[in-house]
Amino acid sequence: MQTRRPKQRLPSIPLLLESDASQKTIHVLPSEFPLYLPTPLFPPPGVLTGTPPSPKIATELSFVHVAGPSFEEVGLRHGVDFVGARLTFSPTEFARTLAKIAFGAAVYALGIAPFKNMPIRRAILGEDPCIGHWVGSWTGEPMNETKGLHAMQIRASGSDVHVILRLFAQFNAPEYLVVLGPADPDFVKSEAWPWK
């Protein structure tokens, strides 16, 4: 993995091994570390499915193998049932990050005028705890190619602005849908609104 301080890079990475009888941590060379990208999967945004707003967001974690041996290969090599690393993860914070990225992209593309009173702003700031009402997984046909670092598209459904984004696209990571909410009515009526 890239670093700005290559001289401070540790020569080994801790890896957790477990079997029925024991648990231990070993240190392996970076080339022998099973590198996975954890990718959260959410239900679609509640605002689109009619699900009542809730501060809880259902999440499933999927893991995309990126480099090194697989967990299974390491398990067979060391004769253990489980191989892994510790993961600290907050579905709410990840969903809020997706919302920030989507909002920033939409403002970059269209300017701030259409977004002054959108409900997603309260969710981004944590004032609305129901982030799953606005952020979820994209379940339609793929919208963004699986190449490059990140990809996103900004779309409209009526006056509602949606952003479909794929982080770490080159690893075939899942796509997410962020519903920003209705754009300012005056902007929608103006010549600057791109979806006529």
Side-chain angles (χ1 to χ4, degrees):
M1 290 185 270
Q2 291 183 349
T3 179
R4 291 184 179 168
R5 299 175 188 90
K7 292 180 181 177
Q8 295 177 11
R9 179 180 283 147
L10 296 175
S12 64
I13 303 172
L15 187 62
L16 178 66
L17 303 178
E18 290 182 5
S19 64
D20 290 337
S22 67
Q23 176 181 353
K24 66 179 179 178
T25 300
I26 64 169
H27 288 263
V28 296
L29 295 173
S31 61
E32 291 301 312
F33 187 83
L35 184 60
Y36 284 80
L37 174 66
T39 56
L41 302 173
F42 301 122
V47 68
L48 298 181
T49 61
T51 306
S54 169
K56 295 183 180 180
I57 183 167
T59 310
E60 178 183 323
L61 270 179
S62 176
F63 292 87
V64 177
H65 185 231
V66 175
S70 68
F71 283 143
E72 293 79 14
E73 291 169 337
V74 174
L76 288 172
R77 187 177 308 147
H78 293 281
V80 295
D81 303 319
F82 173 83
V83 177
R86 299 281 180 221
L87 177 66
T88 303
F89 169 70
S90 167
T92 300
E93 292 304 318
F94 182 74
R96 191 171 287 126
T97 299
L98 293 172
K100 288 176 190 177
I101 294 167
F103 186 77
V107 168
Y108 177 79
L110 299 172
I112 193 68
F115 306 113
K116 290 182 179 175
N117 297 308
M118 287 196 154
I120 195 68
R121 292 170 64 133
R122 292 188 69 245
I124 289 170
L125 294 171
E127 296 167 0
D128 174 359
C130 304
I131 191 71
H133 196 64
W134 308 104
V135 177
S137 288
W138 172 252
T139 58
E141 292 293 318
M143 297 293 286
N144 296 293
E145 293 187 68
T146 56
K147 63 182 184 180
L149 188 56
H150 310 302
M152 62 190 81
Q153 292 192 26
I154 302 166
R155 301 289 175 119
S157 176
S159 65
D160 279 357
V161 179
H162 298 186
V163 179
I164 302 114
L165 62 125
R166 188 191 298 264
L167 303 180
F168 305 105
Q170 75 271 34
F171 299 125
N172 197 24
E175 290 183 293
Y176 299 100
L177 171 60
V178 179
V179 178
L180 299 181
D184 179 81
D186 291 333
F187 188 86
V188 173
K189 293 175 192 171
S190 76
E191 291 300 314
W193 182 250
W195 299 284
K196 299 215 183 283

